[in-house]
Structures are given as C-alpha cells and as structure tokens.
Amino acid sequence: MIEKLIERFFEAASMQRWNDHIRPVELTELDKQAHKMVIAYVIAKIEEDRKGKGHVNWLNLIESFIFEFLYRLVLTDIKPPVFHRMMAERRQELNNHVLTELKEDFNYLNDEKFKHKFEIYFMQDENTLERRILRAAHYLATNWEFKIIYHSAPFIYGIEKTKENIENQIEDHYDLIGVQKILLGKKSYGFVDLCGQLRFQKRWAHSPRVPETSVLGHMLIVAITAYLCTIKMESDPCERRVYNNFFAGLFHDLPEVSTRDIISPIKSAAGLEDIIKDYENERMKEEVLPLLPKTWHDEMKYFTEDEFENKIKKEGVPQKGIKFKEMNKKYNINEYSPIDGELIRACDKLAAFIETNLSIEYGITSRYLEEGRENIFNAYKNKVISGTDFGRIFNYFYKKKW
C-alpha cells in the first residue's frame, strides 16, 4: 500500500544540501521540504485572506508539493542551473526516467488516480497559483538556508552569483503578498524562522543514530503519511478532512519549539505529561500565535491542541473523542472540519519506529533505540487504525533490510 512511498520519502533524510559549500550545520533535503511546506502554508493563507476562501485550491497545493518532492528525490542532488536546463531541453526524457524509477512505488500504492495525476503533472501548466506559491516557498526556504552558508564563508568563489540568482527568483514572486510580508522580516517571517529552528532540534537526541532526523523533518513525514492514509480511506474523505489531516500532521509537534523533543519515558512520568502540555499551550499562546494573524489562531490551535484526538467542529466549537465509524457516517462533511487525530498519532509512531529501525539496520544502535523500536512495534503490530492496517505496515518495516 503506502510502504514503498514512505520508504522513498525517508531517503530525503540522507540527502545533504549545499554539499559543495562550507556548512556550519547539517542541511538535509527532508528538512528543506518541510520548511518549504510551512512557508507555502503561510503564503497561501495570506493569499486566501486577500482574495477570499476558495481562491487557493489546497488539495492541489498539497498534491503538487508531494509530486515535486518525489521528482526531486529521484533526481537527487542536481545543481539548479543544470536541472533547469535539463527540464528545458530534455523534459520528456527526465519525466520518463522519474516514472520508471517510481513504477514499483506506484504499483505498491495501487492507486491509479494518484499515479495518473503524477504522470501528467509535469506536462501541465506551470503557472497555476498553487505552483507559483510552491516555487516562491522553495526559493524562500533556499534563501533561509543560504543565509547560514553565506555568513559562514562569504569568500567562496561564485557565492555572490548564487546570492543574486536566489534573490532574482524571489523577486519574480513579489506579486504574492505573502512573499512581501515574509521579506519584511516582521511577524510572518518570525513564524517561518521559528519553524525553521525545528530543523536543528534532533529526534532521539539521547542516542547516536543514522540518519539523524529533525523535529521538522519528522513532522513532514507524519503529514505525508497521514495524507496517503486519508486518500486511501474507503469512505471517500471530504476535502477538509484531507486538508486537516495533512496540516495537523505538519504542525503536530510545533509546540516543541518551546520545549524541545522530550522523550516518551519522561513524558509518561507521574504527572509530568500534563505539566509539559500546559507549558506548551502557554508558550504557543504567548510566543507562536502572536506571529500569526488572529484569524488563523483557531485553526492552529485546532491542529496543535489535543492533536491525537479525533475531532470535529460544531458551530465553530471543537468536539473531540469522535469514533472513526461515527466520523465516516455522520461527520465526513466539510462543514464539520473533521480531523483523524488517532490516525495522526499512528503516523507519528510509525515515523518514530522507522527512525529507530533505520539506524539499527545501519549498525548504529543503543539501548534506547532498541527499546523504542520494540515498544512501538508491540503496540501497533496488530492494529487497524482509521481504516489503515498499521499492523501490516509495521510488520513490513520490522522485517525490512535497508
């Protein structure tokens, strides 16, 4: 089902960016893509505020992001000037190569609609609003990284030309108000920058691990996994449910920008989980939400509070504890804004499990990783959650030789 694609996305954690430059910190493709999608969310929300609901096709935005991410994963670390020339002169050959490489992944997914959309995506109009938002987000995320590189080694040959190219690409998207607001360096930029800091918070920080993954990269894996599970639901999920499950996955660990990644045994200590959650909510209210327009606050709280609870909204008021069958039967409608929190929790645990399993299979292990892998596997090896057979998925990765 979705195992092969999840496997593919995890490859981005090992893809190093700017590896021909002096880098004071590790910069990976997975983190860049996660940061890009956070920025795309900000730009799209601002665009929607300006022109009204329905102006942005959010499902197209999510889908386009995933397609472009897959394309980049296959083509790996081609330098931008080379990539753009290849796309201009050999687009069809590149497309055929990417499709060949992803054939097994798509066959395993067994979703002809998803596969067909991917096949035609790179032959369609490149100037839709959603693609322009993603391009703008791409260059803004690149620029955020580049500032770190530039200030570390401004003397490197050709670096001024790189700086000029990035700035010119961003300028081409000035018509998007979100781009202008981020470049002002005020509130919107503060949120983007704060999320970017999650690139440097490492998961399983108490244990050596390969590849290392950040909190931000983990959040993206959860979001994509939740999206893939949602579109495979038999109940034909409403658009808002797909949107909510993706972005709730993307932002589910956002409060950790204030607490860092606290491991489960500490969270489970007597009375400590409630204290941590209360502190996270306080910091979200005082530090994070003020960086966003007030009209976005309810949505961000909906994503990050009780993030692992199945929820709906009735007359704008969140209600949690909804059973999956009830969600499908009564609340699978946009007006109820359903979120499958139990699914997001399972995706979160699956991502954590793969993180431990990868390192153990690569030969870098510890007591913490071994215990973490076994505990998560034993909890999910026989479970079906929100219509997805996670038992089968966990068993696939448990037996997987990387």
Side-chain angles (χ1 to χ4, degrees):
M1 204 166 110
I2 63 172
E3 292 90 326
K4 288 289 184 181
L5 281 177
I6 296 172
E7 204 175 313
R8 178 77 65 176
F9 287 117
F10 257 101
E11 291 177 6
S14 300
M15 290 174 61
Q16 298 293 315
R17 291 179 54 76
W18 303 98
N19 56 14
D20 55 349
H21 287 70
I22 296 171
R23 295 169 296 164
V25 292
E26 187 176 78
L27 300 167
T28 70
E29 187 65 29
L30 180 61
D31 292 345
K32 154 66 187 297
Q33 293 291 334
H35 204 191
K36 170 183 172 179
M37 197 58 200
V38 168
I39 296 170
Y41 172 84
V42 172
I43 296 172
K45 289 288 287 184
I46 292 172
E47 197 68 17
E48 200 170 59
D49 286 349
R50 182 169 69 118
K51 295 189 175 180
K53 298 288 184 183
H55 183 65
V56 175
N57 187 323
W58 286 95
L59 296 193
N60 278 356
L61 184 72
I62 294 168
E63 212 169 59
S64 298
F65 166 76
I66 290 173
F67 290 164
E68 292 178 10
F69 188 8
L70 282 170
Y71 208 89
R72 173 53 65 183
L73 282 171
V74 173
L75 296 178
T76 63
D77 194 28
I78 300 174
K79 278 200 166 188
V82 180
F83 174 75
H84 294 313
R85 180 167 179 177
M86 290 169 68
M87 285 297 286
E89 298 180 9
R90 293 287 187 272
R91 178 183 294 266
Q92 192 55 55
E93 289 90 334
L94 277 180
N95 289 347
N96 291 339
H97 171 70
V98 171
L99 286 170
T100 300
E101 288 294 310
L102 293 174
K103 182 179 179 180
E104 184 180 359
D105 301 38
F106 288 144
N107 288 343
Y108 209 77
L109 182 66
N110 192 26
D111 189 326
E112 287 301 319
K113 185 177 179 181
F114 184 89
K115 179 182 177 183
H116 177 69
K117 284 184 178 180
F118 182 86
E119 287 176 344
I120 65 173
Y121 178 78
F122 295 96
M123 297 182 284
Q124 294 175 326
D125 178 20
E126 295 186 355
N127 286 311
T128 64
L129 175 61
E130 292 74 30
R131 289 201 187 196
R132 298 200 71 251
I133 289 171
L134 286 172
R135 277 203 301 273
H138 166 81
Y139 288 114
L140 286 168
T142 298
N143 193 48
W144 193 89
E145 293 177 327
F146 181 73
K147 287 178 181 178
I148 298 171
I149 303 293
Y150 184 80
H151 290 297
S152 300
F155 52 83
I156 292 292
Y157 177 77
I159 201 165
E160 290 297 335
K161 183 64 175 176
T162 302
K163 181 173 182 286
E164 180 183 349
N165 288 340
I166 295 171
E167 290 172 349
N168 287 342
Q169 293 288 355
I170 293 173
E171 186 177 338
D172 287 343
H173 297 85
Y174 271 9
D175 59 302
L176 297 170
I177 300 300
V179 173
Q180 297 178 33
K181 287 195 173 187
I182 290 170
L183 290 176
L184 280 174
K186 303 298 182 183
K187 287 185 3 176
S188 298
Y189 177 78
F191 179 75
V192 166
D193 190 49
L194 198 65
C195 290
Q197 292 176 35
L198 290 171
R199 299 178 68 156
F200 308 125
Q201 290 188 21
K202 297 300 180 185
R203 300 263 301 162
W204 306 87
H206 58 304
S207 177
R209 191 167 56 89
V210 175
E212 290 188 335
T213 47
S214 72
V215 171
L216 189 62
H218 166 82
M219 287 157 62
L220 179 62
I221 291 291
V222 173
I224 293 174
T225 306
Y227 169 82
L228 291 172
C229 291
T230 304
I231 64 170
K232 295 289 288 181
M233 286 179 178
E234 292 182 5
S235 54
D236 191 18
C238 65
E239 291 185 4
R240 197 69 189 178
R241 192 174 184 179
V242 179
Y243 168 90
N244 283 343
N245 285 354
F246 180 85
F247 284 108
L250 185 64
F251 291 117
H252 79 280
D253 275 340
L254 183 57
E256 289 187 7
V257 76
S258 301
T259 63
R260 299 188 183 167
D261 185 35
I262 301 173
I263 59 175
S264 295
I266 294 177
K267 287 181 180 178
S268 300
L272 212 54
E273 191 163 3
D274 290 340
I275 293 172
I276 293 167
K277 183 58 69 175
D278 288 344
Y279 180 77
E280 287 179 344
N281 289 340
E282 284 176 17
R283 298 315 303 159
M284 281 289 292
K285 183 178 180 181
E286 295 173 10
E287 184 177 358
V288 180
L289 293 180
L291 299 174
L292 300 171
K294 287 185 178 180
T295 52
W296 304 8
H297 289 192
D298 284 346
E299 177 169 272
M300 192 55 66
K301 287 191 287 186
Y302 194 50
F303 290 155
T304 58
E305 294 179 5
D306 299 312
E307 66 274 25
F308 297 142
E309 291 272 2
N310 286 356
K311 294 179 288 187
I312 60 163
K313 284 186 177 182
K314 283 188 176 181
E315 298 179 354
V317 180
Q319 297 188 10
K320 60 184 183 180
I322 310 298
K323 300 296 184 184
F324 177 67
K325 289 183 178 178
E326 188 180 12
M327 186 91 83
N328 289 341
K329 187 175 180 180
K330 295 171 60 177
Y331 301 118
N332 187 26
I333 304 169
N334 289 335
E335 66 180 272
Y336 289 115
S337 195
I339 290 183
D340 293 279
E342 292 178 356
L343 173 65
I344 294 167
R345 182 201 291 272
C347 294
D348 175 65
K349 293 298 185 182
L350 177 62
F353 174 75
I354 297 173
E355 289 162 0
T356 63
N357 204 50
L358 266 173
S359 191
I360 292 168
E361 289 299 319
Y362 286 159
I364 306 297
T365 188
S366 70
R367 173 172 62 87
Y368 301 106
L369 293 183
E370 298 271 1
E371 289 177 356
R373 178 174 73 163
E374 294 305 315
N375 289 341
I376 298 171
F377 177 73
N378 288 331
Y380 284 88
K381 62 183 179 181
N382 296 313
K383 286 194 174 181
V384 175
I385 298 170
S386 300
T388 297
D389 187 351
F390 277 93
R392 193 201 68 248
I393 298 172
F394 272 88
N395 275 283
Y396 170 87
F397 284 110
Y398 192 76
K399 298 172 182 176
K400 170 75 181 174
K401 299 298 180 185
W402 297 87

